[in-house]
Amino acid sequence: MHYLVDLAFEKTRMVLVCLFSIFLFGIVAYKSISKESFPDVTIPYIFVNVTYRGISPEDSERLLIKPFEKEFRSVSGLKEMKATAFEGGARIVLEFEAGFDVDKALDDVREKTDRVKPDLPAEADEPTVDELNSSMFPIMVVTLSGDLPERTLINLAKDLQDTIEAIPEVLEVDIGGEREEQAEVIINPAVIDSYKLSMAEVSGLLSQSNSLVAAGALNTDQGRFQIKVPGLLETVQDILNLPVKSEKDSTVTIKDIASGRFNYADSDGYARVNGKKAITLEVSKRSGENIIETTKKIKETLDYEKQFWPAGLIVEVTQEQATKIENSITDLFNSITAAVLLVMIVVFASLGIRNGLLVGVSIPGSFLLGIIALYIFGFNINMVVLFGLIMSVGMLVDGAIILTEYADRRMGDGDDKLTAYMTAAKRMSWPILSSTLTTVSAFIPLIMWPGIVGQFMKFLPITIIFTLVASLLMAIFFVPVLGSIIGKKPDDDPEQERIVEISERGNPLDLEGFTGFYTRVLAFALKNAGKVILSAFAVLIMTFILYGKFGSGIIFFPDAEPEILAMNIAARGNLSITEKDELLKQVETKILDIKDFKSVYARSGHSAYGTAEDVIGVINIELADWDKRRKANAIMEDIRARVKNIPGIKVEVRPEEKGPSHGKPIKIQVSARNTSDLEPALKHIRKGMKEIGGFVDVQDDLPLPGIQWEVDVDRVQALKFGTSLVRVGEMIQLVTKGLKISSYRPESSDDEIDILLRFNEDYRSINQLMQLNLSINDEIVPISNFISINPKPMVSNIYRTDSKRTNTIESDVEEGVLPNTKIVEIDNWLKANPLKTGVSYEFKGEDKDRKQAQSFLIKAFMVAVILIALVLIAQFNSISDTLLVLSAVVLSTTGVFLGFLITRQPFGIVMGGLGIISLAGIIVNNNIILIDTFNVLKKENDDIFLALLRTGSQRLRPVFLTTFTSMLGLMPMALKLNIDFFGRQIEYGNPSS
């Protein structure tokens, strides 16, 4: 280390150029680095979707899910497998351990999927395998509305989709509220019967008539000629002109028995923005791209496209993430600026202007060097990174303060500035290195944090480690070299010389002022060491006892003022999409006049994965800026009061989820050997929740009450009439969703368009099912001869977890109530009132994440203490000195829990645990400097008592400075203050803090 210090002082110009380069490249890196609201983490989920039009949930479970479950069990790294069987298909969600190899997992899942394909029904669509990543979430929503025809809005949306997707930074644009195009051949069954045609003849003809025959080429003496047999359908008119039957000189075409139209598929939901029907474009950016620059380019594109839009078109941008991120970054940088200023005020007041400037250089230098490291390793700037920078503000100057204070003392003893700073760099290099390494050691275990929470939070220790290492370089090399150039000897002050003389060689008890007072208190404590130590541990134990009795509980992750509210509207019964939309409109009407909203985006239909079975619509509310509206809790209460009297519906209002948690805080998953025991078990748990109280918006995924019509086919009787189950099913499809017979690609569309056979609307009813006829051997046969239609209880989605049927109950809690408190209460209630034998329950969601985080943080704390101990032993080569320093870590927790008691704050598992581990690294720094100084003074004087007093008096100023700078660095955030120096305003309660 001494060699490197000597080299730095020999190459002063090189050191200064390096410092200038750090500032230059650091600014460039900050301008170039991607900026996000939250860390870009790998989300450990892979989705497998299979579509089979019209399949029931029971058949989907048996024919689609079980073959996949059998294969997926052997996928490497699989943590949990969830599956949902629903009408029309199935979805399998594979959860892996966080930090998994995405590419390998995708390859494994695709390989297993290929093996399953031969076992799937022939009518099932090709399974799709998709990963879930943060790039899938939209950075903005562009809405198109106005008094224009639906087809015009959809065409404009598609044109705009192509234009925005042409921007290199944009990944994709999804259109919401769009309906798929299809060609419908509308048939009157009476006309079909009159021509004695069978639907098999019509569908077969249409399928065979839509083909491209590649006839090849013909080589002749005159040359080589391509032969083409055009047979593809290109327009609806081509379909209508197809012949279906010919007798003698007459030919029956499709247009004789049916009408055709180019139409949209039946809607399964509607979308509105601020009460107006709209088409939405959800824009997602590519991973790693700068969201602010990407948003800027999209807005420039929209401004350019305006000139080509028709009159009456309203285009709005909602739920824009870039502005929120810019505001959050600005707020957090204001906190950093305020922290730096507070720190520098204390430093200037204690060390003077010149020394203060030397210490001040280490803050931006460390920040910029840390940002360069983040940029090189491919990280982005997000709220967790900025919080890490704020946490490190007070720690960055510790080494520089210690060094400049010692150099100042040396100059006070008569050394010139070059000798003083070189001596200080050599003398304090090992203590500064040790103190930095102990702090880094506290954060190293946090990088290994498992799970999504760990993937989310690991950016904080990485940021702090980068900046601390940068501060070490600043303190040992850059600050001493600068000090040797711009440093200044203390003025000839007799009092100062006297203080130095006494503290170095005289009796510290002769000192005056605060230092003298402290020295006398220290002398008293040393003379009563046993009593002081016992008192300290007594206070520690008493604090833990008081916290255990009067503490405010435990939370997983701190809540913040939300920017978006989500409303789920639930209703039960066999509701059509029109009925669902009418109910949703009633809710919209009640809340649209609330002044606290920026936009209201409503979607009817059960489209949101993960919502309850009875949800008929979702409303996303973008709130006005936090300082221009009421608190979110007040707004949610207002919404609940406005909609509570709407009959037949239930409305849930929740704030958007921030941080790594997801879903409602209380989630209980129930499984049973006998699936018939699941419903009684969930009802039993609901009963317990009602008795305990404090649970709100309780929901479960049990099947909804309702009926479904089951068509039973007498196969023997059907065979006697010369037909089959398949033909009966095809006839029923003509009444319901339509029978797909082929597809074609018109010039006006980029996608294939399905061709459907359907009865006209007059024949689409339950009664019509019994009146259907089949044409068999030119005879009309009513299908009522071999079918019966019976009402049965409706079966909605079927849920499975790790190959077992499960159901889940979720709940929020009342305002002011902690989820963990309610989890303990319901768990105790279930132990006192157990479920039926063979039925088990497990707490999922936040409780599971909380327990995993708690378990890891305890282990991380132990590992951090061991790493710190290794550094201390290397520094002091003494077990006793190491244990002495570590005792300070235990005693310092007294202040932590006293602080929680006084402020009545609940203990946050993530942030509180993180704070204690951070404290373990920070608290040892001053003790390292104290013991290092004591060991040097002890060698000079055999009087241990005097050596201890001199150690305390000499290190009092740097100890106070490093402690107060660490505190002041966090003070703006702790007080929830946002001081905008450029805007000249002070905000309290900013969501970023």
Side-chain angles (χ1 to χ4, degrees):
M1 185 67 73
H2 289 184
Y3 170 76
L4 295 176
V5 172
D6 289 334
L7 182 62
F9 277 91
E10 288 175 10
K11 308 290 185 181
T12 55
R13 291 179 179 83
M14 181 190 71
V15 173
L16 294 176
V17 170
C18 289
L19 182 60
F20 175 78
S21 300
I22 288 172
F23 278 82
L24 177 63
F25 290 118
I27 293 171
V28 173
Y30 175 73
K31 293 290 185 182
S32 305
I33 198 169
S34 176
K35 298 174 180 66
E36 304 284 352
S37 179
F38 290 101
D40 185 8
V41 301
T42 301
I43 304 173
Y45 292 96
I46 291 178
F47 294 83
V48 180
N49 292 288
V50 191
T51 302
Y52 184 166
R53 288 165 62 93
I55 193 172
S56 68
E58 301 101 316
D59 291 335
S60 175
E61 179 188 32
R62 181 167 49 91
L63 300 176
L64 302 181
I65 288 179
K66 288 186 177 180
F68 279 107
E69 287 180 337
K70 184 179 178 181
E71 286 290 337
F72 287 159
R73 287 172 194 157
S74 59
V75 173
S76 177
L78 183 64
K79 182 179 178 182
E80 187 176 68
M81 174 169 52
K82 293 184 177 180
T84 306
F86 50 85
E87 182 182 348
R91 179 188 295 109
I92 299 98
V93 181
L94 305 175
E95 181 182 359
F96 292 82
E97 297 292 344
F100 73 126
D101 187 335
V102 181
D103 296 330
K104 183 180 183 303
L106 281 171
D107 289 340
D108 288 347
V109 173
R110 289 188 176 117
E111 180 185 344
K112 302 292 185 184
T113 301
D114 290 337
R115 292 184 186 178
V116 175
K117 285 179 185 178
D119 299 330
L120 299 177
E123 297 82 1
D125 292 343
E126 187 82 3
T128 61
V129 179
D130 301 295
E131 64 172 307
L132 180 64
N133 57 65
S134 57
S135 298
M136 298 172 61
F137 302 109
I139 62 172
M140 67 164 58
V141 177
V142 181
T143 62
L144 281 67
S145 60
D147 297 326
L148 295 171
E150 181 182 19
R151 185 173 295 277
T152 301
L153 283 175
I154 291 177
N155 289 337
L156 287 169
K158 288 183 175 180
D159 290 341
L160 194 54
Q161 178 188 38
D162 294 338
T163 303
I164 295 176
E165 284 184 340
I167 299 173
E169 292 83 358
V170 173
L171 177 66
E172 64 178 356
V173 178
D174 287 334
I175 299 180
E178 174 196 21
R179 291 193 284 165
E180 291 185 3
E181 295 175 300
Q182 62 186 27
E184 292 184 343
V185 179
I186 308 300
I187 298 173
N188 187 319
V191 176
I192 289 285
D193 293 343
S194 68
Y195 281 102
K196 295 184 178 180
L197 287 168
S198 69
M199 293 309 304
E201 291 177 306
V202 177
S203 61
L205 174 74
L206 284 169
S207 299
Q208 295 169 11
S209 299
N210 186 29
S211 302
L212 175 64
V213 180
L218 185 64
N219 290 305
T220 69
D221 293 338
Q222 287 77 32
R224 187 174 186 275
F225 301 94
Q226 292 286 340
I227 308 299
K228 180 181 178 182
V229 183
L232 290 177
L233 300 172
E234 296 182 1
T235 65
V236 174
Q237 195 60 41
D238 290 343
I239 300 172
L240 295 177
N241 289 334
L242 290 174
V244 291
K245 190 172 184 178
S246 178
E247 291 185 357
K248 298 180 181 180
D249 294 332
S250 62
T251 300
V252 179
T253 62
I254 294 291
K255 65 183 176 184
D256 294 325
I257 61 172
S259 61
R261 63 186 181 186
F262 190 59
N263 196 15
Y264 290 108
D266 293 343
S267 177
D268 57 1
Y270 299 95
R272 283 181 296 277
V273 175
N274 297 329
K276 299 177 183 177
K277 189 174 181 180
I279 303 293
T280 61
L281 299 172
E282 297 183 351
V283 185
S284 302
K285 73 171 185 67
R286 296 185 184 278
S287 181
E289 296 293 344
N290 192 316
I291 188 173
I292 297 172
E293 293 299 321
T294 304
T295 301
K296 182 180 177 182
K297 290 184 179 181
I298 295 170
K299 288 185 174 180
E300 289 173 352
T301 300
L302 293 176
D303 290 338
Y304 175 78
E305 291 293 319
K306 279 182 181 179
Q307 59 184 314
F308 305 110
W309 292 336
L313 178 67
I314 302 172
V315 178
E316 297 176 299
V317 176
T318 61
Q319 300 183 32
E320 180 195 332
Q321 299 298 315
T323 301
K324 298 173 185 176
I325 292 171
E326 279 189 299
N327 291 338
S328 296
I329 290 175
T330 300
D331 294 340
L332 288 169
F333 265 108
N334 287 338
S335 296
I336 292 173
T337 304
V340 170
L341 287 176
L342 289 172
V343 168
M344 293 313 301
I345 288 171
V346 174
V347 171
F348 283 139
S350 302
L351 300 178
I353 301 296
R354 286 177 180 260
N355 289 340
L357 288 174
L358 287 174
V359 173
V361 167
S362 64
I363 297 178
S366 302
F367 278 166
L368 293 174
L369 194 54
I371 289 172
I372 291 172
L374 290 171
Y375 181 76
I376 291 173
F377 283 93
F379 298 127
N380 56 34
I381 293 287
N382 53 67
M383 293 187 71
V384 179
V385 168
L386 291 173
F387 180 59
L389 294 177
I390 292 173
M391 280 190 68
S392 63
V393 168
M395 294 184 278
L396 296 181
V397 297
D398 288 359
I401 287 174
I402 292 167
L403 186 134
T404 53
E405 197 276 340
Y406 188 84
D408 192 38
R409 185 177 293 276
R410 295 297 304 179
M411 286 189 289
D413 282 347
D415 290 347
D416 61 83
K417 58 184 179 182
L418 176 62
T419 304
Y421 278 96
M422 184 179 291
T423 304
K426 292 179 179 180
R427 169 69 181 81
M428 289 297 175
S429 58
W430 284 111
I432 291 173
L433 175 63
S434 297
S435 62
T436 304
L437 288 179
T438 54
T439 309
V440 169
S441 297
F443 289 100
I444 286 176
L446 297 175
I447 299 177
M448 311 306 295
W449 200 328
I452 296 180
V453 179
Q455 293 291 305
F456 184 89
M457 294 302 299
K458 73 177 182 181
F459 290 86
L460 189 142
I462 289 173
T463 301
I464 293 177
I465 289 171
F466 283 160
T467 52
L468 285 176
V469 172
S471 73
L472 177 64
L473 298 176
M474 288 286 164
I476 295 179
F477 300 111
F478 295 106
V479 170
V481 170
L482 276 177
S484 68
I485 297 172
I486 67 172
K488 185 180 180 181
K489 293 184 65 174
D491 297 331
D492 294 332
D493 184 350
E495 180 64 22
Q496 185 173 7
E497 289 181 1
R498 177 174 169 272
I499 292 174
V500 171
E501 178 72 18
I502 292 175
S503 62
E504 292 288 347
R505 291 177 290 275
N507 187 351
L509 293 174
D510 293 336
L511 291 170
E512 298 178 359
F514 181 74
T515 305
F517 172 76
Y518 161 74
T519 307
R520 285 184 285 276
V521 172
L522 177 59
F524 175 80
L526 291 172
K527 292 175 182 178
N528 298 275
K531 295 179 181 178
V532 172
I533 293 172
L534 288 175
S535 299
F537 279 98
V539 172
L540 175 67
I541 295 169
M542 185 60 66
T543 299
F544 279 112
I545 293 173
L546 289 173
Y547 185 82
K549 189 173 183 179
F550 301 107
S552 300
I554 297 173
I555 59 173
F556 175 55
F557 205 79
D559 293 327
E561 185 68 11
E563 295 163 336
I564 293 176
L565 300 180
M567 295 178 62
N568 289 338
I569 293 84
R572 300 201 165 197
N574 291 79
L575 301 174
S576 67
I577 187 59
T578 303
E579 292 172 316
K580 292 178 180 179
D581 195 57
E582 287 300 320
L583 289 173
L584 184 64
K585 283 181 180 177
Q586 292 184 43
V587 178
E588 286 180 85
T589 303
K590 295 284 187 180
I591 67 173
L592 278 174
D593 62 341
I594 295 178
K595 304 299 183 183
D596 301 293
F597 300 160
K598 275 187 181 178
S599 65
V600 178
Y601 177 24
R603 304 184 309 280
S604 57
H606 188 84
S607 59
Y609 174 65
T611 55
E613 283 295 303
D614 54 357
V615 170
I616 63 169
V618 176
I619 300 177
N620 286 335
I621 300 170
E622 184 179 14
L623 298 175
D625 294 338
W626 70 275
D627 55 341
K628 299 175 183 176
R629 60 169 169 85
R630 295 172 291 170
K631 293 290 185 183
N633 287 333
I635 298 172
M636 289 191 289
E637 288 302 319
D638 189 4
I639 292 173
R640 293 188 183 105
R642 288 170 178 248
V643 301
K644 68 178 181 181
N645 293 324
I646 301 178
I649 68 167
K650 178 183 176 182
V651 178
E652 293 183 1
V653 189
R654 300 194 74 238
E656 69 170 334
E657 296 163 5
K658 289 191 174 183
S661 58
H662 54 87
K664 294 184 177 180
I666 296 177
K667 186 180 294 185
I668 307 173
Q669 180 179 285
V670 181
S671 59
R673 290 180 175 272
N674 188 347
T675 55
S676 62
D677 292 333
L678 287 172
E679 185 171 349
L682 261 69
K683 290 181 177 178
H684 182 70
I685 295 174
R686 274 183 171 268
K687 176 186 175 184
M689 288 180 165
K690 187 174 181 180
E691 287 183 12
I692 295 169
F695 299 92
V696 297
D697 292 339
V698 181
Q699 70 177 44
D700 58 53
D701 54 14
L702 288 172
L704 300 179
I707 62 168
Q708 62 185 20
W709 295 98
E710 192 170 284
V711 179
D712 294 321
V713 180
D714 187 333
R715 297 173 189 248
V716 175
Q717 195 70 13
L719 184 61
K720 290 180 181 179
F721 282 96
T723 188
S724 65
L725 179 69
V726 173
R727 290 191 64 185
V728 173
E730 290 177 347
M731 289 298 295
I732 292 173
Q733 287 182 22
L734 294 171
V735 178
T736 57
K737 60 188 176 61
L739 174 63
K740 178 184 175 182
I741 53 170
S742 187
S743 60
Y744 76 113
R745 190 185 296 273
E747 293 183 0
S748 60
S749 176
D750 296 332
D751 303 315
E752 279 194 339
I753 303 299
D754 291 340
I755 302 175
L756 300 180
L757 283 178
R758 302 187 76 175
F759 285 163
N760 58 30
E761 293 184 8
D762 294 338
Y763 292 88
R764 298 180 202 164
S765 65
I766 296 295
N767 294 332
Q768 182 62 34
L769 292 177
M770 292 299 293
Q771 299 174 20
L772 293 173
N773 297 321
L774 285 172
S775 177
I776 304 173
N777 299 325
D778 291 336
E779 293 185 5
I780 303 301
V781 178
I783 68 171
S784 58
N785 290 334
F786 43 83
I787 72 165
S788 61
I789 303 177
N790 305 299
K792 293 291 181 69
M794 183 174 66
V795 177
S796 49
N797 294 357
I798 296 173
Y799 301 94
R800 295 171 66 85
T801 302
D802 293 332
S803 303
K804 297 184 296 183
R805 276 214 193 173
T806 57
N807 283 108
T808 304
I809 186 167
E810 300 182 30
S811 174
D812 269 323
V813 294
E814 292 178 351
E815 185 180 353
V817 177
L818 298 181
N820 183 67
T821 303
K822 289 299 167 186
I823 288 173
V824 172
E825 289 179 2
I826 190 64
D827 190 33
N828 291 335
W829 189 91
L830 287 170
K831 289 175 181 176
N833 303 272
L835 297 169
K836 184 178 178 181
T837 303
V839 181
S840 60
Y841 68 93
E842 181 182 1
F843 289 98
K844 293 281 190 175
E846 182 179 301
D847 183 66
K848 183 178 179 181
D849 291 339
R850 180 185 61 78
K851 289 178 179 177
Q852 288 177 347
Q854 183 174 333
S855 174
F856 168 76
L857 289 171
I858 292 172
K859 295 174 184 175
F861 181 78
M862 295 171 64
V863 172
V865 170
I866 292 172
L867 291 176
I868 291 170
L870 291 174
V871 174
L872 294 174
I873 291 172
Q875 167 70 18
F876 299 123
N877 194 28
S878 168
I879 300 296
S880 59
D881 286 350
T882 299
L883 294 175
L884 185 61
V885 173
L886 292 178
S887 67
V889 176
V890 178
L891 292 172
S892 67
T893 56
T894 305
V896 175
F897 289 98
L898 276 177
F900 280 119
L901 278 172
I902 293 169
T903 59
R904 304 303 301 161
Q905 294 290 323
F907 182 82
I909 291 297
V910 173
M911 305 309 288
L914 191 67
I916 288 179
I917 293 174
S918 304
L919 181 67
I922 297 169
I923 205 70
V924 299
N925 293 352
N926 291 330
N927 298 277
I928 290 175
I929 304 300
L930 283 168
I931 292 180
D932 179 76
T933 302
F934 170 71
N935 288 337
V936 172
L937 294 176
K938 183 173 62 172
K939 293 176 182 178
E940 298 174 356
N941 194 323
D942 293 335
D943 189 341
I944 301 298
F945 182 78
L946 186 61
L948 288 169
L949 290 181
R950 285 179 174 172
T951 298
S953 61
Q954 285 185 28
R955 308 317 304 162
L956 178 63
R957 184 167 65 162
V959 165
F960 261 81
L961 282 176
T962 54
T963 302
F964 276 104
T965 53
S966 297
M967 291 169 55
L968 290 172
L970 296 171
M971 197 61 70
M973 291 288 281
L975 298 177
K976 294 192 286 187
L977 290 176
N978 178 42
I979 305 173
D980 186 353
F981 294 94
F982 298 101
R984 290 177 294 180
Q985 61 180 8
I986 299 176
E987 298 172 337
Y988 174 77
N990 189 301
S992 297
S993 60

